[in-house]
Amino acid sequence: MTERRVVFTPSGKRGDFADGVSLLDAARRLGVDLDSVCGGRGICGRCQVDVAEGAFAKHALDSRADHASPWGAVEQRYVDKRGALPPGRRLGCQAQVSGDLVVDVPPESQVHRQVVRKRAEEHPIEVDPVVRLHAVAVREPDMREPTSDFRRLQEALAEQWSVAEAEADIAVLRTLQKALRAGDWTVTVALRNGREIVAIVPGVALEAYGVAVDIGSTTIAAYLCDLASGAVVASVGAMNPQIRFGEDLMSRVSYVMMNPGGDAELTRAVREAIDALIGEAAAAAGVARGAIVEVTLAGNPIMHHLALGLDPTELGGAPFALAIDGACEVKARDLGLDVAPGAYVYALPCIAGHVGADSAGVVLAEAPYLADEMRLIVDVGTNAEIVFGNRERLLAASSPTGPAFEGAQISCGQRAAPGAIERVRIDRATLEPRFKVIGCDLWSDEPGFSEAAAGLGVTGVCGSGIIEAVAELFLAGVVSADGVIDGTLAARSARIETVGRTFAYVLNEGPPRLLIYQTDVRAIQLAKAALYAGAKLLIEHRGAAPDRITLAGAFGAHIDPVYAMALGMIPDCALDKVASAGNAAGTGARIALLNRASRAEIERVVRGIEKIETAIEPNFQTLFVEAMAIPNKADAFPNLARRIDLPAPTATPDGGRRRRRGG
Amino acid sequence: MTERRVVFTPSGKRGDFADGVSLLDAARRLGVDLDSVCGGRGICGRCQVDVAEGAFAKHALDSRADHASPWGAVEQRYVDKRGALPPGRRLGCQAQVSGDLVVDVPPESQVHRQVVRKRAEEHPIEVDPVVRLHAVAVREPDMREPTSDFRRLQEALAEQWSVAEAEADIAVLRTLQKALRAGDWTVTVALRNGREIVAIVPGVALEAYGVAVDIGSTTIAAYLCDLASGAVVASVGAMNPQIRFGEDLMSRVSYVMMNPGGDAELTRAVREAIDALIGEAAAAAGVARGAIVEVTLAGNPIMHHLALGLDPTELGGAPFALAIDGACEVKARDLGLDVAPGAYVYALPCIAGHVGADSAGVVLAEAPYLADEMRLIVDVGTNAEIVFGNRERLLAASSPTGPAFEGAQISCGQRAAPGAIERVRIDRATLEPRFKVIGCDLWSDEPGFSEAAAGLGVTGVCGSGIIEAVAELFLAGVVSADGVIDGTLAARSARIETVGRTFAYVLNEGPPRLLIYQTDVRAIQLAKAALYAGAKLLIEHRGAAPDRITLAGAFGAHIDPVYAMALGMIPDCALDKVASAGNAAGTGARIALLNRASRAEIERVVRGIEKIETAIEPNFQTLFVEAMAIPNKADAFPNLARRIDLPAPTATPDGGRRRRRGG
């Protein structure tokens, strides 16, 4: 029998096949990465290939012959139904070998597609989710051989997809009989890890989705992803409804401690919020909830525990013992999530009592464990969760910044939302401020701002705004290095007001009237000192300086690195190497959703991270006190000094305390 | 170092040990079957042994020395708390080798105890449940090494019990933190299959229980068993509440077909009933629900499907496709059962669309797959589920007897309950009846019966009563071989009454007045013909006659084999080889509960059973018609003829039809 040479590109894999072998079969035999859901029925269109005639040494090229079988009825049906294919494009399951061929597998026909990410240092995500779709034709029941519907499905999966002994839990089995009959004995199963069926739908189904969820103390974000392309098809967020039990984490843990059954209330609240977000995302993308076959979860330890229904009380005090630290798989229905009947929730592992599954997500997204350069990654929330190191050694710690950076416990503070002041500049001479408000592109001193702001309504100052305000007040000489608002300046500017025995700065005359009080400056000092000291502790342990600083989280997305450094929040680093990573915890959850291998990877990495508990580190208190000064006493900030007029570090407390700088 | 010889009986295992080795450790090293839950803390008392000095060739006996360490404080504490030990008895974990020893492990200290059963042909049950208890001391949390409570529990299980990588689901993990702290860092875990923790309780817990459930269409039975001893500590039963949706199986399936969501109603009803029974059994035995760590389930296919939440509609018509046939493990909480948080329900496998997990239970209890003799096992319910064969080959079928044997569709019928007539004798000459009523030991013609019956209240005739009545009417010549009540006898006895164009027999003058109508005789004829034909079909397929007949189920427990044979319900067999097995399905569920290996065994056996579908067997109809006659036309019943005055089989229908017999 004549054998034809078939070469697949871009893999370069090649083999000889008899006439009549489908290109999909040929690809499978050679281990070429060519997708298929319908199993060769010409329905799913996932196995599209570009076919060209081949001319190889082994076989003479006969240019007159057709080297692949002619365009067939099944392909025509596909095109009639789903639209035309590009020129030269064929369905791999229909086109058969009839001569030497070069077959190109375009990226969208590869099982393991890549999702490219934005920043240069980010690795692309290889799309290889834990759940894949397989369409199967199942034998009809026969009284002479009374096997069950499920056993015949198992047999079909074994024969048609080489899946041995597929399992399914009772919630999935409940849907089997109707699906088989509705699909006229063809169903598509969503198979998890090649072993467990998590959904069964009638006929040939082509779409499976997953949701990556990041549970913040303040907001919950959910990303609905197409598991075939890796694309985010809907991105939604909502306030964490647990806020009604306490603004910050510790007040929620207190609520649980004081109210028997309170943990169940908080658990219910967060689960309902997640389920509502999933519903919202599904509706936005026009996706059925039942097509969502996997969910991943990131969150700080307390959010992680509450979402899983674990009492967070132990996390409220030393020794901050986690109930579980490893990654955790739970049926989505056990968390009250309405998705595919057998779908799982995969919760990322926790690193320590204060360094949670959100940090694990950040580590997975930023991959410092693959980096040569020393990376400092800070996820700022109620606590700052800090990771430092590189491929050789990674350390993690949590530092008790409190909620000031999120705008809480600041008199005019609010969370980052339209109407919040997010950028502040203070004239060094006149001490007059100008600012920008979220939702408006104009500075407050630009023409048209008043009209725009009036429509928007200025409501308060968010975390990045308060940081810039305090840093600018320092740079303008209103606030001293040790954080005191200088009342003598009241003589020079009406912006300085007396408030009892202290002073305040009028950021906005209003309405609303927004003042930066002495207590606000103190709150920011405490927060930034905690963050800096935590980072410094890891740097000292590691014995190396950061080459790159990444600010993760909503807070990190808004903050200007220059001001973070001017305030002394973060250690010195080349300014072009300081950047925001956005919601990196959410990105980590998305990677865990899209790439099965990443789960084992982050589980392994997390186990190897050295945990530093700031509460019992003798050096932490010293670093913290030193870092209270602005910018602080332990860092010369050479990179920063090149950029803005920063005071030189002072050797003695007194020297710092009395220093004052004009514009 | 001096080594001492230690011999364990009854195993005969022996070895040499240094002074100071505990007898429990010595037993473990030798692989001697010696129980322990507390892991050598002297708390559980499961490792009790009888110690005697040894005199062996290798070592000279020094009769003055103590060959085991002296009675210790821990043993004294045990005795003070739990009561004295028998003379010579020690705690194996406390007594140490200090000389040559003979150590006897009494049966109650063996892990694999045996539960002996009543009938000679029944195999004892080796107690080796899937769930075992292990007490462990867990390391306290330490901020310097922030591992979770669960990881430290895993480490403790690995160190103290060689259990690697124990798993636990989220419902169990939820209880971990509190249990560890309440137990001062000692907890007892219920470990399933050496892998999954299904319950965690504070301190050293010694008792674990399981429940075996048999879901009949009419009644549900539950057996609460001590998983250490294998003993049934409570046995409870209740009506199946699904009866309100239909008396028999088919009317319940019809309900589901006619009422959308009806399957959920039936599922809820049966699950609530099972949960209530579990509660009742636990209360009766003084056992906490949380100490119930495993549940097993037997039931016919429709009950099996409904309990698992699977729609039984497909089982209501050809081809009678099961949703699942293999054994099935489901979290008990998913069935709404309130037991240990991680406990599983193990449902026995189904054999075919009409031969369910109840038959699998019967097969496991009766073990025909181990027998040399040919065994016919019949479980009579709404259908008769029939198994026939021996170790070489087993066949199974279901025969549509209808509910007549359960007293349904019989004018005076009722289920077997106090007040129901269960035994009937009819005088061959006078045609006067006498009978016995459930709940009273006297026959109706004995002195004192009237008084006893008045208190009890005669309410109807149960399955065995109706069978005996019809058989006796036949033997007395009132009913002909083809089942016609002979109206001419009205002239001889007032017991024969005219009812329209047919006749009836007055079994009780009343109150209540109980009559056997012509339609009742017909219903019994149809039922017994179906049963006989089903059995005969298997016998023909197998090509061998039964050596032993076992009648399983509540019905089988009441029926007198002589009458079953006199009526022609069952094939001929030596009468002393026909016996009732009681609730064999429930016994099978109990075996699956107590012995882990039995699960793989019955799963394997069930797969190998040949299923005969009576509905498509061309011969079934012929056998059925032949079996309508009393006793029937296909069997000479030589065994029966020796016992009672049975008419010889007739060669022609007419010969039978006109036969009449007096007393």
Side-chain angles (χ1 to χ4, degrees), chain A residues 33-37 46 108-113 126-135 157 161 163 188-200 205-209 226-229 293-294 593-596:
Chain A
D33 184 15
L34 179 57
D35 201 0
S36 171
V37 167
R46 289 277 174 84
E108 65 270 24
S109 296
Q110 293 169 16
V111 178
H112 300 143
R113 266 158 270 190
E126 190 192 52
V127 180
D128 182 19
V130 290
V131 179
R132 301 204 72 88
L133 297 179
H134 298 289
L157 278 166
W161 291 97
V163 172
T188 303
V189 303
L191 192 71
R192 190 172 192 270
N193 282 323
R195 198 175 57 238
E196 182 178 345
I197 299 166
V198 296
I200 305 171
L206 300 178
E207 293 187 335
Y209 297 88
D226 180 327
L227 292 185
S229 69
V293 294
E294 182 87 3
L593 182 66
L594 294 178
N595 182 277
R596 55 200 290 179

Side-chain angles (χ1 to χ4, degrees), chain A residues 141-144 146-152 155 169-170 173-178 181 185 263 271 305 308-315 318-328 330 333-335 351-353 607 611 613 615-616, chain B residues 141-144 146-152 155 169-170 173-178 181 185 263 271 305 308-315 318-328 330 333-335 351-353 607 611 613 615-616:
Chain A
D142 178 344
M143 277 204 279
R144 276 162 302 226
T147 64
S148 61
D149 283 354
F150 184 55
R151 195 173 301 280
R152 277 175 277 108
E155 287 167 3
D169 83 11
I170 198 74
L173 290 171
R174 234 168 249 159
T175 68
L176 171 62
Q177 294 166 303
K178 285 199 170 57
R181 286 155 185 89
W185 303 99
D263 58 324
R271 288 179 178 176
H305 274 44
L308 293 175
L310 300 166
D311 188 330
T313 302
E314 293 300 326
L315 297 170
F320 309 108
L322 292 158
I324 56 172
D325 53 18
C328 176
V330 190
R333 63 172 185 269
D334 283 345
L335 302 193
I351 299 174
R607 292 295 297 272
K611 295 88 182 175
E613 180 53 63
I616 54 170
Chain B
D142 179 344
M143 275 203 280
R144 277 162 301 225
T147 63
S148 62
D149 283 353
F150 183 56
R151 195 172 301 278
R152 278 175 277 108
E155 287 166 3
D169 82 12
I170 198 74
L173 290 170
R174 233 166 248 161
T175 68
L176 171 62
Q177 295 166 301
K178 284 198 172 60
R181 286 155 185 89
W185 303 99
D263 57 326
R271 287 180 178 176
H305 274 43
L308 293 175
L310 300 166
D311 188 330
T313 302
E314 293 300 326
L315 297 169
F320 310 108
L322 291 159
I324 56 171
D325 54 19
C328 177
V330 189
R333 62 172 185 270
D334 283 346
L335 302 192
I351 300 174
R607 294 293 298 272
K611 294 87 181 172
E613 179 53 64
I616 54 170

Side-chain angles (χ1 to χ4, degrees), chain B residues 178-193:
Chain B
K178 284 198 172 60
L180 281 172
R181 286 155 185 89
D184 198 19
W185 303 99
T186 291
V187 291
T188 303
V189 303
L191 192 72
R192 190 171 193 271
N193 282 323

